[in-house]
Amino acid sequence: MENTIENLEAKFQAKIDAEIKIEPKDWMPEKYRKTLVRQISQHAHSEIIGMLPEGNWISRAPSLRRKMALLAKVQDEGGHGLYLYSAAETLGTSREQMFEDLNAGKAKYSSIFNYPTLTWADIGAVGWLVDGAAIMNQVMLTRTSYGPYARAMVRICKEESFHQRQGYEITMALAQGSPEQKEMAQDALNRWWWPSLMMFGPNDATSTHSAQSMAWKIKRKSNDELRQAFVDATVPQAEFLGLTIPDKDLKWNEERGHYDFGEIDWEEFWQVVKGGGPCNKQRLRDRNKAYKEGAWVREAAMAHAKKRAEKRKAEMVSSNA
Ligand code: FAQ
């Protein structure tokens, strides 16, 4: 068969349909590559920007045990960013370019991280709801069609599931504590519920990328399907805690076998995505500061790697002599 674009595309789609992973050196349509770079880099940026609202509470965690768990979680998120940047690099983009786009405010990251963590209960809500929403979306990504992304997601999901439990456990301790503590947990749920539903992205009728991403099996489930699965899984968890989800339209629909829920404020969602959320400016300022202050670490690491490569080359030359 001749290697025309049409034939290459047909072979590519046949591989996807047969559940064969696409690997970095395989031929792929330019749009597939671009979609992956966009999604994986946005995902990586979300992981490292996501460290900021939680990092805010490391020095104020209420006990050593809580501090250790939170430190480990925040460190995990940094690791997730690294696996994801590495996966994106296999598609021919550079880490420096991705960082530049993020620092300049040109790249997107998840809307959720533009909300403030005002009390310790917010750390519980972030783990329970934000990591809970992240896992719901990310489990399908362990089966995404691009090999390096799928493999990175396997490890990420294992860690995220621990994060969700530590958040739920913090919320449970508060919900079963004094009336003031329970009130804190309820207040955090009230503020984080709707932004967590927004994490899944625009609804299916307005999502620009979903149809093509699903045909390429980059996404396996639509934004609305995942959002519904998250609501269905989370409502009983809130009931168990004795907390109330802030949605007067939330009710079990026997016919559908799912919870019905109220309308998301899409105006708020787009405002946050476009940079107008409560913390967008602060997040970018903190990210730029960290990047600038970490320059010497990057330089030292690169110098070390260069020296090691030179040493290895010299050893190979002398062993071949
Ligand atoms: N925020 O056509 P769609 C985490 C944009 S990781 C901002 O539906 P797509 C771990 C979208 O980019 C959380 N922008 O797009 C953690 C597109 O704009 P573009 C992140 C959003 O890609 C926990 C436009 O709207 N997870 O939480 C958002 O098919 C705790 C149209 O949307 C991932 O990134 C949003 N919420 O579906 C860390 C998972 N939603 O690019 C620390 C991987 C949509 O055309 C603490 N990503 N947009 O300019 C995905 O699964 C997908 O990219 C979606 C969006 C589902 C996010």
Side-chain angles (χ1 to χ4, degrees):
M1 206 159 58
E2 224 185 312
N3 270 349
T4 60
I5 285 282
E6 289 75 23
N7 288 343
L8 287 167
E9 278 182 357
K11 262 169 56 187
F12 173 82
Q13 190 63 48
K15 253 169 112 173
I16 300 241
D17 294 342
E19 298 292 337
I20 299 169
K21 292 273 177 260
I22 306 301
E23 296 297 338
K25 288 188 178 158
D26 294 346
W27 184 89
M28 61 185 84
E30 207 37 45
K31 274 191 170 165
Y32 177 83
R33 182 189 301 277
K34 280 207 175 120
T35 300
L36 279 170
V37 169
R38 178 185 66 78
Q39 178 167 325
I40 303 173
S41 63
Q42 286 177 1
H43 193 165
H45 298 329
S46 304
E47 299 281 356
I48 62 164
I49 293 280
M51 297 166 80
L52 297 171
E54 292 188 300
N56 183 32
W57 279 90
I58 291 172
S59 59
R60 288 180 273 162
S63 70
L64 181 60
R65 175 173 171 264
R66 294 292 188 207
K67 191 198 280 267
M68 279 167 23
L70 182 59
L71 260 175
K73 178 186 192 296
V74 172
Q75 207 167 12
D76 285 350
E77 309 298 0
H80 298 174
L82 294 185
Y83 317 149
L84 290 164
Y85 285 122
S86 299
E89 280 179 313
T90 66
L91 291 154
T93 182
S94 75
R95 199 171 294 212
E96 287 69 28
Q97 183 63 51
M98 290 185 272
F99 281 151
E100 261 177 42
D101 289 348
L102 173 63
N103 292 347
K106 282 197 237 158
K108 286 197 171 69
Y109 58 86
S110 183
S111 49
I112 192 76
F113 301 117
N114 293 306
Y115 291 85
T117 43
L118 301 177
T119 74
W120 172 250
D122 289 25
I123 298 303
V126 169
W128 171 31
L129 303 173
V130 176
D131 283 278
I135 304 171
M136 196 55 84
N137 168 284
Q138 291 174 357
V139 165
M140 71 160 178
L141 294 174
T142 61
R143 295 189 301 117
T144 193
S145 56
Y146 186 58
Y149 191 21
R151 290 188 286 275
M153 290 316 301
V154 171
R155 182 157 169 193
I156 293 178
C157 280
K158 286 192 178 144
E159 292 176 351
E160 298 289 26
S161 120
F162 160 77
H163 296 167
Q164 195 267 354
R165 282 167 210 202
Q166 72 85 53
Y168 193 65
E169 204 233 331
I170 290 174
T171 309
M172 193 177 331
L174 293 171
Q176 293 173 353
S178 65
E180 290 80 6
Q181 286 172 319
K182 187 167 181 186
E183 186 44 46
M184 271 171 73
Q186 181 62 55
D187 170 59
L189 172 59
N190 293 348
R191 285 181 290 107
W192 288 91
W193 176 253
W194 290 103
S196 298
L197 295 194
M198 293 174 193
M199 280 178 77
F200 294 95
N203 53 32
D204 293 353
T206 53
S207 160
T208 38
H209 303 294
S210 280
Q212 181 60 74
S213 288
M214 286 176 76
W216 279 329
K217 297 189 182 174
I218 293 174
K219 282 163 88 162
R220 300 256 174 180
K221 289 185 180 165
S222 76
N223 298 356
D224 284 337
E225 272 179 272
L226 291 165
R227 190 166 12 244
Q228 180 72 64
F230 173 74
V231 172
D232 291 347
T234 312
V235 172
Q237 295 170 359
E239 279 169 2
F240 181 79
L241 296 172
L243 299 178
T244 308
I245 290 184
D247 178 357
K248 60 178 176 24
D249 297 322
L250 184 76
K251 63 170 184 309
W252 179 252
N253 183 325
E254 195 62 50
E255 212 172 296
R256 291 200 310 122
H258 292 290
Y259 283 94
D260 289 338
F261 54 95
E263 186 59 29
I264 287 171
D265 182 348
W266 293 112
E267 216 169 285
E268 175 181 327
F269 170 73
W270 288 114
Q271 192 183 334
V272 175
V273 171
K274 287 180 186 151
C279 300
N280 294 60
K281 287 201 176 71
Q282 183 188 337
R283 299 292 181 245
L284 275 192
R285 196 186 55 222
D286 290 350
R287 185 61 223 143
N288 273 286
K289 182 168 176 276
Y291 192 70
K292 207 167 143 210
E293 289 175 359
W296 70 271
V297 180
R298 289 192 299 279
E299 278 163 26
M302 290 309 285
H304 178 69
K306 196 172 158 211
K307 237 188 163 144
R308 260 185 41 184
E310 279 166 4
K311 196 171 159 220
R312 201 168 303 145
K313 200 170 155 195
E315 280 165 3
M316 276 168 68
V317 170
S318 71
S319 71
N320 285 340

